[in-house]
Short mmCIF file of all heavy atoms in Angstrom, two decimals:
data_model
loop_
_atom_site.label_atom_id
_atom_site.label_comp_id
_atom_site.label_asym_id
_atom_site.label_seq_id
_atom_site.Cartn_x
_atom_site.Cartn_y
_atom_site.Cartn_z
N MET A 4 -31.39 -30.97 -10.92
CA MET A 4 -31.42 -30.24 -9.67
C MET A 4 -32.89 -29.84 -9.37
O MET A 4 -33.54 -29.28 -10.24
CB MET A 4 -30.57 -29.14 -9.73
CG MET A 4 -30.27 -28.41 -8.42
SD MET A 4 -28.98 -27.13 -8.52
CE MET A 4 -28.33 -27.17 -6.86
N LYS A 5 -33.29 -30.02 -8.11
CA LYS A 5 -34.64 -29.66 -7.72
C LYS A 5 -34.79 -28.06 -7.66
O LYS A 5 -33.81 -27.41 -7.37
CB LYS A 5 -35.05 -30.18 -6.35
CG LYS A 5 -35.16 -31.62 -6.38
CD LYS A 5 -35.56 -32.08 -4.91
CE LYS A 5 -35.56 -33.59 -4.80
NZ LYS A 5 -35.64 -34.00 -3.30
N LYS A 6 -36.06 -27.61 -7.99
CA LYS A 6 -36.28 -26.21 -7.86
C LYS A 6 -36.06 -25.67 -6.49
O LYS A 6 -35.52 -24.59 -6.25
CB LYS A 6 -37.74 -25.93 -8.21
CG LYS A 6 -38.01 -25.85 -9.66
CD LYS A 6 -39.52 -25.47 -9.88
CE LYS A 6 -39.92 -25.49 -11.36
NZ LYS A 6 -41.33 -25.20 -11.59
N SER A 7 -36.44 -26.46 -5.47
CA SER A 7 -36.09 -25.98 -4.06
C SER A 7 -34.63 -25.82 -3.83
O SER A 7 -34.26 -24.91 -3.03
CB SER A 7 -36.76 -27.02 -3.05
OG SER A 7 -36.14 -28.23 -3.24
N GLU A 8 -33.77 -26.58 -4.43
CA GLU A 8 -32.37 -26.48 -4.23
C GLU A 8 -31.88 -25.29 -4.91
O GLU A 8 -30.97 -24.56 -4.44
CB GLU A 8 -31.65 -27.71 -4.78
CG GLU A 8 -31.96 -28.97 -3.91
CD GLU A 8 -31.27 -30.30 -4.55
OE1 GLU A 8 -31.42 -30.38 -5.73
OE2 GLU A 8 -30.74 -31.03 -3.78
N VAL A 9 -32.36 -24.93 -6.13
CA VAL A 9 -31.97 -23.76 -6.87
C VAL A 9 -32.47 -22.52 -6.06
O VAL A 9 -31.65 -21.61 -5.89
CB VAL A 9 -32.68 -23.74 -8.22
CG1 VAL A 9 -32.38 -22.40 -8.99
CG2 VAL A 9 -32.19 -24.92 -9.15
N LEU A 10 -33.68 -22.60 -5.59
CA LEU A 10 -34.13 -21.43 -4.80
C LEU A 10 -33.25 -21.26 -3.55
O LEU A 10 -32.92 -20.07 -3.26
CB LEU A 10 -35.62 -21.71 -4.34
CG LEU A 10 -36.30 -20.64 -3.52
CD1 LEU A 10 -36.29 -19.33 -4.22
CD2 LEU A 10 -37.68 -21.07 -3.14
N HIS A 11 -32.93 -22.27 -2.90
CA HIS A 11 -32.11 -22.16 -1.70
C HIS A 11 -30.74 -21.51 -2.03
O HIS A 11 -30.23 -20.73 -1.31
CB HIS A 11 -31.91 -23.47 -1.04
CG HIS A 11 -31.07 -23.43 0.26
ND1 HIS A 11 -31.61 -22.98 1.45
CD2 HIS A 11 -29.83 -23.81 0.49
CE1 HIS A 11 -30.63 -22.96 2.34
NE2 HIS A 11 -29.53 -23.50 1.83
N ALA A 12 -30.16 -21.98 -3.09
CA ALA A 12 -28.81 -21.47 -3.51
C ALA A 12 -28.92 -19.93 -3.88
O ALA A 12 -28.04 -19.21 -3.45
CB ALA A 12 -28.36 -22.24 -4.73
N LEU A 13 -29.93 -19.59 -4.56
CA LEU A 13 -30.17 -18.13 -4.85
C LEU A 13 -30.41 -17.34 -3.59
O LEU A 13 -29.81 -16.23 -3.40
CB LEU A 13 -31.34 -18.00 -5.85
CG LEU A 13 -31.14 -18.52 -7.22
CD1 LEU A 13 -32.46 -18.51 -8.01
CD2 LEU A 13 -30.07 -17.70 -8.00
N GLN A 14 -31.26 -17.77 -2.73
CA GLN A 14 -31.53 -17.06 -1.46
C GLN A 14 -30.30 -16.88 -0.56
O GLN A 14 -30.06 -15.82 -0.11
CB GLN A 14 -32.56 -17.86 -0.65
CG GLN A 14 -34.03 -17.75 -1.24
CD GLN A 14 -34.97 -18.68 -0.64
OE1 GLN A 14 -34.54 -19.85 -0.18
NE2 GLN A 14 -36.23 -18.34 -0.51
N SER A 15 -29.53 -17.98 -0.47
CA SER A 15 -28.41 -17.85 0.43
C SER A 15 -27.36 -16.84 -0.15
O SER A 15 -26.66 -16.15 0.52
CB SER A 15 -27.72 -19.19 0.76
OG SER A 15 -27.37 -19.89 -0.45
N GLU A 16 -27.22 -16.88 -1.49
CA GLU A 16 -26.22 -15.97 -2.15
C GLU A 16 -26.70 -14.52 -2.01
O GLU A 16 -25.93 -13.61 -1.74
CB GLU A 16 -26.06 -16.33 -3.68
CG GLU A 16 -25.07 -15.43 -4.42
CD GLU A 16 -23.67 -15.58 -3.83
OE1 GLU A 16 -23.36 -16.61 -3.31
OE2 GLU A 16 -22.94 -14.53 -4.05
N ILE A 17 -27.98 -14.28 -2.26
CA ILE A 17 -28.52 -12.98 -2.17
C ILE A 17 -28.40 -12.39 -0.73
O ILE A 17 -28.01 -11.24 -0.52
CB ILE A 17 -30.04 -12.92 -2.57
CG1 ILE A 17 -30.08 -13.01 -4.10
CG2 ILE A 17 -30.66 -11.66 -2.05
CD1 ILE A 17 -31.54 -13.18 -4.58
N ARG A 18 -28.52 -13.24 0.25
CA ARG A 18 -28.43 -12.81 1.66
C ARG A 18 -27.00 -12.36 1.97
O ARG A 18 -26.76 -11.71 2.96
CB ARG A 18 -28.87 -13.89 2.59
CG ARG A 18 -30.35 -14.08 2.56
CD ARG A 18 -30.89 -14.90 3.69
NE ARG A 18 -32.35 -14.97 3.59
CZ ARG A 18 -32.97 -16.11 3.29
NH1 ARG A 18 -32.36 -17.27 3.03
NH2 ARG A 18 -34.29 -16.11 3.17
N ARG A 19 -26.00 -12.82 1.18
CA ARG A 19 -24.61 -12.36 1.51
C ARG A 19 -24.41 -10.84 1.09
O ARG A 19 -23.42 -10.30 1.55
CB ARG A 19 -23.62 -13.19 0.70
CG ARG A 19 -23.56 -14.63 1.11
CD ARG A 19 -22.61 -15.46 0.26
NE ARG A 19 -21.26 -14.81 0.29
CZ ARG A 19 -20.57 -14.46 -0.76
NH1 ARG A 19 -21.00 -14.75 -1.96
NH2 ARG A 19 -19.42 -13.94 -0.59
N HIS A 20 -25.28 -10.35 0.33
CA HIS A 20 -25.13 -8.94 -0.20
C HIS A 20 -26.11 -8.06 0.49
O HIS A 20 -27.23 -8.38 0.85
CB HIS A 20 -25.34 -8.87 -1.63
CG HIS A 20 -24.49 -9.87 -2.44
ND1 HIS A 20 -23.21 -9.45 -2.89
CD2 HIS A 20 -24.57 -11.16 -2.61
CE1 HIS A 20 -22.61 -10.49 -3.45
NE2 HIS A 20 -23.42 -11.57 -3.25
N SER A 21 -25.66 -6.75 0.69
CA SER A 21 -26.49 -5.84 1.34
C SER A 21 -26.16 -4.43 0.83
O SER A 21 -25.09 -4.19 0.40
CB SER A 21 -26.36 -5.81 2.90
OG SER A 21 -25.00 -5.63 3.24
N PHE A 22 -27.22 -3.53 0.99
CA PHE A 22 -27.03 -2.14 0.61
C PHE A 22 -26.63 -1.46 1.91
O PHE A 22 -27.52 -1.13 2.71
CB PHE A 22 -28.31 -1.63 0.10
CG PHE A 22 -28.16 -0.19 -0.50
CD1 PHE A 22 -26.89 0.38 -0.64
CD2 PHE A 22 -29.33 0.48 -0.96
CE1 PHE A 22 -26.78 1.68 -1.19
CE2 PHE A 22 -29.17 1.78 -1.48
CZ PHE A 22 -27.93 2.38 -1.57
N ASP A 23 -25.32 -1.24 2.07
CA ASP A 23 -24.83 -0.75 3.39
C ASP A 23 -23.66 0.28 3.02
O ASP A 23 -23.64 0.78 1.97
CB ASP A 23 -24.19 -1.94 4.13
CG ASP A 23 -24.24 -1.74 5.62
OD1 ASP A 23 -24.25 -0.58 6.05
OD2 ASP A 23 -24.29 -2.68 6.34
N THR A 24 -22.80 0.40 3.95
CA THR A 24 -21.64 1.32 3.67
C THR A 24 -20.37 0.54 4.00
O THR A 24 -20.38 -0.47 4.82
CB THR A 24 -21.63 2.56 4.61
OG1 THR A 24 -21.77 2.17 5.90
CG2 THR A 24 -22.87 3.47 4.24
N PHE A 25 -19.36 0.91 3.37
CA PHE A 25 -18.01 0.29 3.65
C PHE A 25 -17.00 1.31 3.42
O PHE A 25 -17.16 2.34 2.82
CB PHE A 25 -17.74 -0.97 2.73
CG PHE A 25 -17.76 -0.67 1.30
CD1 PHE A 25 -16.56 -0.40 0.66
CD2 PHE A 25 -18.88 -0.69 0.53
CE1 PHE A 25 -16.47 -0.19 -0.70
CE2 PHE A 25 -18.86 -0.43 -0.81
CZ PHE A 25 -17.64 -0.16 -1.48
N VAL A 26 -15.78 1.04 3.92
CA VAL A 26 -14.63 1.97 3.74
C VAL A 26 -13.88 1.59 2.47
O VAL A 26 -13.36 0.54 2.28
CB VAL A 26 -13.66 1.92 4.93
CG1 VAL A 26 -12.48 2.87 4.76
CG2 VAL A 26 -14.37 2.23 6.22
N ASP A 27 -13.97 2.60 1.50
CA ASP A 27 -13.18 2.39 0.29
C ASP A 27 -11.70 2.85 0.52
O ASP A 27 -11.43 3.75 1.18
CB ASP A 27 -13.80 3.29 -0.78
CG ASP A 27 -13.52 2.87 -2.16
OD1 ASP A 27 -13.14 1.67 -2.34
OD2 ASP A 27 -13.65 3.69 -3.08
N GLU A 28 -10.88 2.10 -0.03
CA GLU A 28 -9.40 2.36 0.07
C GLU A 28 -9.00 2.45 1.58
O GLU A 28 -8.57 3.56 2.05
CB GLU A 28 -9.16 3.68 -0.63
CG GLU A 28 -9.51 3.73 -2.05
CD GLU A 28 -8.75 2.79 -2.97
OE1 GLU A 28 -7.63 2.40 -2.59
OE2 GLU A 28 -9.37 2.31 -3.89
N PRO A 29 -9.11 1.40 2.39
CA PRO A 29 -8.66 1.47 3.78
C PRO A 29 -7.17 1.75 3.79
O PRO A 29 -6.53 1.44 2.87
CB PRO A 29 -9.06 0.13 4.30
CG PRO A 29 -9.18 -0.78 3.14
CD PRO A 29 -9.53 0.15 1.97
N PRO A 30 -6.58 2.21 4.91
CA PRO A 30 -7.26 2.37 6.24
C PRO A 30 -8.16 3.64 6.18
O PRO A 30 -7.99 4.57 5.37
CB PRO A 30 -6.16 2.61 7.21
CG PRO A 30 -5.06 3.19 6.39
CD PRO A 30 -5.19 2.51 5.01
N SER A 31 -9.15 3.65 7.04
CA SER A 31 -10.10 4.73 7.09
C SER A 31 -9.49 5.99 7.76
O SER A 31 -8.41 5.93 8.27
CB SER A 31 -11.30 4.37 7.92
OG SER A 31 -11.00 4.21 9.28
N VAL A 32 -10.19 7.04 7.55
CA VAL A 32 -9.68 8.34 8.16
C VAL A 32 -9.46 8.17 9.65
O VAL A 32 -8.48 8.69 10.19
CB VAL A 32 -10.75 9.49 7.87
CG1 VAL A 32 -10.29 10.71 8.58
CG2 VAL A 32 -10.87 9.69 6.41
N ALA A 33 -10.33 7.41 10.29
CA ALA A 33 -10.18 7.18 11.76
C ALA A 33 -8.86 6.57 12.12
O ALA A 33 -8.32 6.68 13.21
CB ALA A 33 -11.37 6.39 12.28
N GLN A 34 -8.28 5.76 11.20
CA GLN A 34 -7.07 5.06 11.43
C GLN A 34 -5.86 5.89 10.87
O GLN A 34 -4.81 5.28 10.79
CB GLN A 34 -7.11 3.69 10.81
CG GLN A 34 -8.17 2.81 11.46
CD GLN A 34 -8.45 1.47 10.59
OE1 GLN A 34 -8.64 1.54 9.41
NE2 GLN A 34 -8.38 0.41 11.33
N GLY A 35 -6.10 7.11 10.42
CA GLY A 35 -5.02 7.82 9.87
C GLY A 35 -4.84 7.81 8.39
O GLY A 35 -3.95 8.44 7.90
N GLY A 36 -5.68 7.05 7.73
CA GLY A 36 -5.58 6.94 6.23
C GLY A 36 -6.55 7.87 5.55
O GLY A 36 -7.06 8.83 6.25
N ASN A 37 -6.69 7.79 4.29
CA ASN A 37 -7.53 8.64 3.55
C ASN A 37 -8.74 7.92 3.00
O ASN A 37 -9.36 8.34 2.01
CB ASN A 37 -6.75 9.42 2.49
CG ASN A 37 -6.07 8.51 1.56
OD1 ASN A 37 -6.26 7.28 1.68
ND2 ASN A 37 -5.29 9.00 0.67
N GLY A 38 -9.11 6.79 3.59
CA GLY A 38 -10.25 6.03 3.09
C GLY A 38 -11.49 6.83 3.33
O GLY A 38 -11.58 7.51 4.34
N VAL A 39 -12.44 6.61 2.57
CA VAL A 39 -13.74 7.27 2.75
C VAL A 39 -14.84 6.20 2.81
O VAL A 39 -14.79 5.09 2.22
CB VAL A 39 -14.06 8.18 1.51
CG1 VAL A 39 -13.17 9.44 1.55
CG2 VAL A 39 -13.96 7.42 0.24
N VAL A 40 -15.79 6.52 3.65
CA VAL A 40 -16.99 5.59 3.81
C VAL A 40 -17.95 5.90 2.66
O VAL A 40 -18.31 6.97 2.42
CB VAL A 40 -17.71 5.79 5.18
CG1 VAL A 40 -18.90 4.91 5.25
CG2 VAL A 40 -16.66 5.47 6.35
N VAL A 41 -18.20 4.84 1.86
CA VAL A 41 -19.13 5.00 0.74
C VAL A 41 -20.29 4.04 0.84
O VAL A 41 -20.19 3.00 1.45
CB VAL A 41 -18.39 4.81 -0.53
CG1 VAL A 41 -17.24 5.77 -0.71
CG2 VAL A 41 -17.85 3.36 -0.59
N PRO A 42 -21.44 4.42 0.24
CA PRO A 42 -22.53 3.42 0.18
C PRO A 42 -22.31 2.39 -0.90
O PRO A 42 -21.70 2.66 -1.92
CB PRO A 42 -23.68 4.30 -0.18
CG PRO A 42 -23.16 5.45 -0.92
CD PRO A 42 -21.73 5.67 -0.41
N GLY A 43 -22.78 1.16 -0.67
CA GLY A 43 -22.64 0.16 -1.69
C GLY A 43 -22.80 -1.33 -1.01
O GLY A 43 -23.36 -1.39 0.06
N CYS A 44 -22.20 -2.24 -1.70
CA CYS A 44 -22.26 -3.63 -1.18
C CYS A 44 -20.89 -3.94 -0.58
O CYS A 44 -19.89 -4.07 -1.26
CB CYS A 44 -22.55 -4.58 -2.30
SG CYS A 44 -22.55 -6.36 -1.75
N PRO A 45 -20.86 -4.17 0.77
CA PRO A 45 -19.65 -4.44 1.46
C PRO A 45 -19.00 -5.71 1.01
O PRO A 45 -17.74 -5.80 1.03
CB PRO A 45 -20.01 -4.41 3.02
CG PRO A 45 -21.30 -3.79 3.06
CD PRO A 45 -21.95 -3.96 1.68
N THR A 46 -19.80 -6.70 0.68
CA THR A 46 -19.34 -8.09 0.32
C THR A 46 -18.46 -7.98 -0.95
O THR A 46 -17.37 -8.55 -1.03
CB THR A 46 -20.51 -9.02 0.11
OG1 THR A 46 -21.27 -9.04 1.22
CG2 THR A 46 -20.07 -10.41 -0.22
N CYS A 47 -18.96 -7.14 -1.95
CA CYS A 47 -18.27 -7.04 -3.19
C CYS A 47 -17.41 -5.84 -3.25
O CYS A 47 -16.72 -5.62 -4.26
CB CYS A 47 -19.35 -7.00 -4.34
SG CYS A 47 -20.39 -8.44 -4.29
N ARG A 48 -17.53 -4.91 -2.27
CA ARG A 48 -16.87 -3.66 -2.28
C ARG A 48 -17.18 -2.88 -3.50
O ARG A 48 -16.38 -2.34 -4.20
CB ARG A 48 -15.30 -3.81 -2.23
CG ARG A 48 -14.95 -4.67 -0.97
CD ARG A 48 -13.53 -4.58 -0.68
NE ARG A 48 -13.01 -3.25 -0.45
CZ ARG A 48 -13.16 -2.59 0.75
NH1 ARG A 48 -13.75 -3.20 1.75
NH2 ARG A 48 -12.73 -1.39 0.88
N LYS A 49 -18.51 -2.91 -3.87
CA LYS A 49 -19.01 -2.27 -5.13
C LYS A 49 -19.83 -1.06 -4.72
O LYS A 49 -20.60 -1.16 -3.82
CB LYS A 49 -19.83 -3.25 -5.94
CG LYS A 49 -20.31 -2.59 -7.21
CD LYS A 49 -20.82 -3.72 -8.21
CE LYS A 49 -21.23 -3.06 -9.43
NZ LYS A 49 -21.00 -3.87 -10.63
N ARG A 50 -19.54 0.15 -5.26
CA ARG A 50 -20.17 1.32 -4.83
C ARG A 50 -21.42 1.54 -5.68
O ARG A 50 -21.43 1.39 -6.86
CB ARG A 50 -19.19 2.55 -5.05
CG ARG A 50 -17.96 2.43 -4.18
CD ARG A 50 -16.93 3.40 -4.65
NE ARG A 50 -17.32 4.77 -4.29
CZ ARG A 50 -16.51 5.76 -3.99
NH1 ARG A 50 -15.24 5.57 -4.07
NH2 ARG A 50 -16.91 6.88 -3.64
N PHE A 51 -22.51 1.95 -4.93
CA PHE A 51 -23.68 2.46 -5.60
C PHE A 51 -24.40 3.29 -4.66
O PHE A 51 -24.17 3.32 -3.45
CB PHE A 51 -24.53 1.42 -6.22
CG PHE A 51 -24.63 0.12 -5.47
CD1 PHE A 51 -25.46 0.08 -4.33
CD2 PHE A 51 -23.96 -1.03 -5.85
CE1 PHE A 51 -25.49 -1.16 -3.59
CE2 PHE A 51 -23.99 -2.22 -5.15
CZ PHE A 51 -24.75 -2.26 -4.05
N HIS A 52 -25.44 4.01 -5.13
CA HIS A 52 -26.03 5.06 -4.36
C HIS A 52 -27.60 4.91 -4.23
O HIS A 52 -28.20 5.52 -3.33
CB HIS A 52 -25.84 6.38 -4.97
CG HIS A 52 -24.31 6.77 -5.00
ND1 HIS A 52 -23.73 7.32 -3.88
CD2 HIS A 52 -23.36 6.59 -5.91
CE1 HIS A 52 -22.41 7.39 -4.18
NE2 HIS A 52 -22.21 7.05 -5.32
N THR A 53 -28.17 4.03 -4.94
CA THR A 53 -29.65 3.95 -4.87
C THR A 53 -30.04 2.46 -4.68
O THR A 53 -29.26 1.52 -5.10
CB THR A 53 -30.40 4.49 -6.07
OG1 THR A 53 -29.97 3.63 -7.16
CG2 THR A 53 -29.98 5.94 -6.33
N MET A 54 -31.26 2.19 -4.18
CA MET A 54 -31.77 0.85 -4.05
C MET A 54 -31.95 0.24 -5.47
O MET A 54 -31.76 -0.99 -5.59
CB MET A 54 -33.16 0.86 -3.30
CG MET A 54 -33.70 -0.51 -3.05
SD MET A 54 -32.64 -1.59 -2.07
CE MET A 54 -32.65 -0.90 -0.51
N ALA A 55 -32.30 1.05 -6.43
CA ALA A 55 -32.43 0.52 -7.78
C ALA A 55 -31.08 -0.03 -8.25
O ALA A 55 -31.05 -1.06 -8.91
CB ALA A 55 -32.93 1.57 -8.76
N GLN A 56 -30.01 0.61 -7.95
CA GLN A 56 -28.64 0.10 -8.35
C GLN A 56 -28.29 -1.16 -7.59
O GLN A 56 -27.65 -2.06 -8.07
CB GLN A 56 -27.62 1.19 -8.10
CG GLN A 56 -27.69 2.40 -9.12
CD GLN A 56 -26.71 3.48 -8.72
OE1 GLN A 56 -26.76 3.94 -7.62
NE2 GLN A 56 -25.97 3.87 -9.66
N PHE A 57 -28.68 -1.25 -6.31
CA PHE A 57 -28.47 -2.45 -5.59
C PHE A 57 -29.23 -3.66 -6.15
O PHE A 57 -28.70 -4.71 -6.29
CB PHE A 57 -28.97 -2.30 -4.03
CG PHE A 57 -28.87 -3.50 -3.24
CD1 PHE A 57 -27.68 -4.12 -3.05
CD2 PHE A 57 -29.97 -4.03 -2.69
CE1 PHE A 57 -27.61 -5.28 -2.22
CE2 PHE A 57 -29.93 -5.16 -1.92
CZ PHE A 57 -28.78 -5.76 -1.64
N VAL A 58 -30.49 -3.41 -6.58
CA VAL A 58 -31.27 -4.44 -7.24
C VAL A 58 -30.57 -4.89 -8.56
O VAL A 58 -30.56 -6.07 -8.88
CB VAL A 58 -32.75 -4.02 -7.43
CG1 VAL A 58 -33.46 -5.09 -8.28
CG2 VAL A 58 -33.38 -3.73 -6.17
N ASP A 59 -30.04 -3.93 -9.30
CA ASP A 59 -29.34 -4.19 -10.54
C ASP A 59 -28.11 -5.07 -10.19
O ASP A 59 -27.73 -5.99 -10.95
CB ASP A 59 -28.89 -2.93 -11.24
CG ASP A 59 -30.06 -2.29 -11.96
OD1 ASP A 59 -31.16 -2.92 -12.12
OD2 ASP A 59 -29.89 -1.10 -12.39
N HIS A 60 -27.40 -4.74 -9.12
CA HIS A 60 -26.25 -5.49 -8.67
C HIS A 60 -26.60 -6.96 -8.44
O HIS A 60 -26.02 -7.87 -8.90
CB HIS A 60 -25.68 -4.94 -7.34
CG HIS A 60 -24.62 -5.68 -6.67
ND1 HIS A 60 -23.49 -6.07 -7.32
CD2 HIS A 60 -24.54 -6.12 -5.47
CE1 HIS A 60 -22.76 -6.82 -6.51
NE2 HIS A 60 -23.36 -6.78 -5.35
N LEU A 61 -27.72 -7.20 -7.77
CA LEU A 61 -28.18 -8.57 -7.48
C LEU A 61 -28.56 -9.27 -8.80
O LEU A 61 -28.16 -10.42 -9.10
CB LEU A 61 -29.40 -8.54 -6.54
CG LEU A 61 -29.09 -8.12 -5.10
CD1 LEU A 61 -30.49 -8.13 -4.35
CD2 LEU A 61 -28.04 -9.02 -4.47
N ALA A 62 -29.32 -8.55 -9.62
CA ALA A 62 -29.81 -9.21 -10.86
C ALA A 62 -28.71 -9.36 -11.88
O ALA A 62 -28.69 -10.41 -12.62
CB ALA A 62 -30.93 -8.26 -11.46
N ASP A 63 -27.82 -8.45 -12.04
CA ASP A 63 -26.79 -8.51 -13.09
C ASP A 63 -25.56 -9.15 -12.67
O ASP A 63 -24.88 -9.82 -13.47
CB ASP A 63 -26.52 -7.07 -13.60
CG ASP A 63 -27.74 -6.40 -14.19
OD1 ASP A 63 -28.67 -7.13 -14.56
OD2 ASP A 63 -27.77 -5.19 -14.31
N ASP A 64 -25.12 -8.93 -11.43
CA ASP A 64 -23.81 -9.51 -10.98
C ASP A 64 -23.95 -10.78 -10.29
O ASP A 64 -23.04 -11.62 -10.41
CB ASP A 64 -23.10 -8.48 -10.04
CG ASP A 64 -22.86 -7.17 -10.69
OD1 ASP A 64 -22.82 -7.06 -11.95
OD2 ASP A 64 -22.76 -6.15 -9.89
N ILE A 65 -24.97 -10.91 -9.47
CA ILE A 65 -25.03 -12.14 -8.55
C ILE A 65 -25.78 -13.23 -9.13
O ILE A 65 -25.21 -14.39 -9.16
CB ILE A 65 -25.75 -11.65 -7.21
CG1 ILE A 65 -25.11 -10.38 -6.63
CG2 ILE A 65 -25.74 -12.76 -6.23
CD1 ILE A 65 -23.62 -10.47 -6.47
N LEU A 66 -26.97 -13.05 -9.69
CA LEU A 66 -27.71 -14.19 -10.13
C LEU A 66 -27.12 -14.96 -11.26
O LEU A 66 -27.04 -16.24 -11.25
CB LEU A 66 -29.16 -13.72 -10.59
CG LEU A 66 -29.98 -13.17 -9.37
CD1 LEU A 66 -31.45 -12.84 -9.90
CD2 LEU A 66 -30.01 -14.08 -8.23
N PRO A 67 -26.49 -14.25 -12.28
CA PRO A 67 -25.84 -15.11 -13.35
C PRO A 67 -24.65 -15.93 -12.82
O PRO A 67 -24.53 -17.08 -13.23
CB PRO A 67 -25.29 -14.00 -14.26
CG PRO A 67 -26.19 -12.87 -13.98
CD PRO A 67 -26.46 -12.88 -12.60
N GLY A 68 -23.91 -15.42 -11.75
CA GLY A 68 -22.89 -16.21 -11.22
C GLY A 68 -23.36 -17.47 -10.46
O GLY A 68 -22.75 -18.50 -10.58
N VAL A 69 -24.48 -17.33 -9.75
CA VAL A 69 -25.04 -18.40 -9.05
C VAL A 69 -25.48 -19.49 -10.08
O VAL A 69 -25.25 -20.72 -9.92
CB VAL A 69 -26.24 -18.00 -8.18
CG1 VAL A 69 -26.81 -19.27 -7.46
CG2 VAL A 69 -25.81 -17.10 -7.14
N LEU A 70 -26.26 -19.09 -11.04
CA LEU A 70 -26.75 -20.01 -12.10
C LEU A 70 -25.62 -20.73 -12.79
O LEU A 70 -25.63 -21.98 -13.08
CB LEU A 70 -27.58 -19.35 -13.14
CG LEU A 70 -28.97 -18.81 -12.53
CD1 LEU A 70 -29.76 -18.07 -13.67
CD2 LEU A 70 -29.74 -20.09 -12.11
N ASN A 71 -24.47 -20.01 -13.03
CA ASN A 71 -23.31 -20.67 -13.72
C ASN A 71 -22.73 -21.76 -12.82
O ASN A 71 -22.45 -22.77 -13.24
CB ASN A 71 -22.24 -19.63 -13.94
CG ASN A 71 -22.43 -18.89 -15.25
OD1 ASN A 71 -23.19 -19.39 -16.18
ND2 ASN A 71 -21.79 -17.76 -15.43
N ARG A 72 -22.67 -21.43 -11.51
CA ARG A 72 -22.12 -22.41 -10.62
C ARG A 72 -23.00 -23.61 -10.46
O ARG A 72 -22.55 -24.81 -10.43
CB ARG A 72 -21.95 -21.78 -9.14
CG ARG A 72 -20.79 -20.98 -8.93
CD ARG A 72 -20.30 -21.12 -7.45
NE ARG A 72 -21.33 -20.99 -6.50
CZ ARG A 72 -21.87 -19.84 -6.06
NH1 ARG A 72 -21.33 -18.74 -6.41
NH2 ARG A 72 -22.83 -19.85 -5.14
N LEU A 73 -24.32 -23.39 -10.46
CA LEU A 73 -25.30 -24.47 -10.29
C LEU A 73 -25.14 -25.42 -11.53
O LEU A 73 -25.16 -26.63 -11.47
CB LEU A 73 -26.76 -23.93 -10.16
CG LEU A 73 -26.94 -23.25 -8.88
CD1 LEU A 73 -28.39 -22.69 -8.94
CD2 LEU A 73 -26.75 -24.12 -7.76
N SER A 74 -25.10 -24.80 -12.76
CA SER A 74 -25.11 -25.59 -14.02
C SER A 74 -23.89 -26.41 -14.13
O SER A 74 -23.84 -27.52 -14.55
CB SER A 74 -25.34 -24.73 -15.18
OG SER A 74 -24.37 -23.79 -15.33
N THR A 75 -22.72 -25.81 -13.79
CA THR A 75 -21.47 -26.52 -13.84
C THR A 75 -21.45 -27.66 -12.81
O THR A 75 -20.81 -28.74 -13.00
CB THR A 75 -20.26 -25.61 -13.65
OG1 THR A 75 -20.36 -24.90 -12.43
CG2 THR A 75 -20.00 -24.72 -14.89
N GLY A 76 -22.18 -27.41 -11.68
CA GLY A 76 -22.11 -28.46 -10.56
C GLY A 76 -22.99 -29.59 -10.95
O GLY A 76 -22.77 -30.71 -10.42
N SER A 77 -23.99 -29.50 -11.84
CA SER A 77 -24.89 -30.56 -11.99
C SER A 77 -24.66 -31.23 -13.39
O SER A 77 -25.43 -32.18 -13.69
CB SER A 77 -26.37 -30.01 -11.94
OG SER A 77 -26.54 -29.08 -12.99
N GLU A 78 -23.69 -30.77 -14.08
CA GLU A 78 -23.48 -31.42 -15.44
C GLU A 78 -22.20 -32.18 -15.48
O GLU A 78 -21.32 -31.85 -14.77
CB GLU A 78 -23.42 -30.28 -16.53
CG GLU A 78 -24.88 -29.77 -16.86
CD GLU A 78 -24.83 -28.56 -17.81
OE1 GLU A 78 -23.79 -28.12 -18.23
OE2 GLU A 78 -25.84 -27.94 -18.00
ZN1 LIG B 172 -22.55 -7.71 -3.60
#
């Protein structure tokens, strides 16, 4: 696999994730439930509070998964 293809795969996966807010345990309060809006990654529904934790999420949760997919796809 070319380096440029690996880079593209990593970039597109990283772009799916963001440090944003999402509603934990929907429905939200606005819909009559008791869900709370929390900071974290909406894609993974993973809660964290700092940019450092978001970077750890990408490094520890996302990158190994992409590399595993790439290696199984090319072997
Ligand atoms: Zn995520």
Side-chain angles (χ1 to χ4, degrees):
M4 193 172 206
K5 290 181 188 168
K6 277 185 185 172
S7 60
E8 291 174 317
V9 174
L10 180 61
H11 181 75
L13 291 171
Q14 287 170 327
S15 55
E16 181 62 28
I17 284 174
R18 288 193 179 109
R19 294 179 56 230
H20 302 268
S21 56
F22 188 9
D23 206 336
T24 57
F25 62 93
V26 178
D27 201 22
E28 307 294 334
S31 70
V32 175
Q34 295 167 311
N37 56 5
V39 290
V40 176
V41 297
C44 178
T46 304
C47 305
R48 306 189 61 77
K49 183 163 180 145
R50 297 168 72 151
F51 37 75
H52 297 277
T53 67
M54 185 55 74
Q56 288 174 307
F57 174 62
V58 173
D59 283 345
H60 171 53
L61 293 178
D63 298 338
D64 300 337
I65 308 309
L66 296 186
V69 178
L70 287 178
N71 277 340
R72 274 213 319 274
L73 293 177
S74 59
T75 52
S77 62
E78 284 169 6

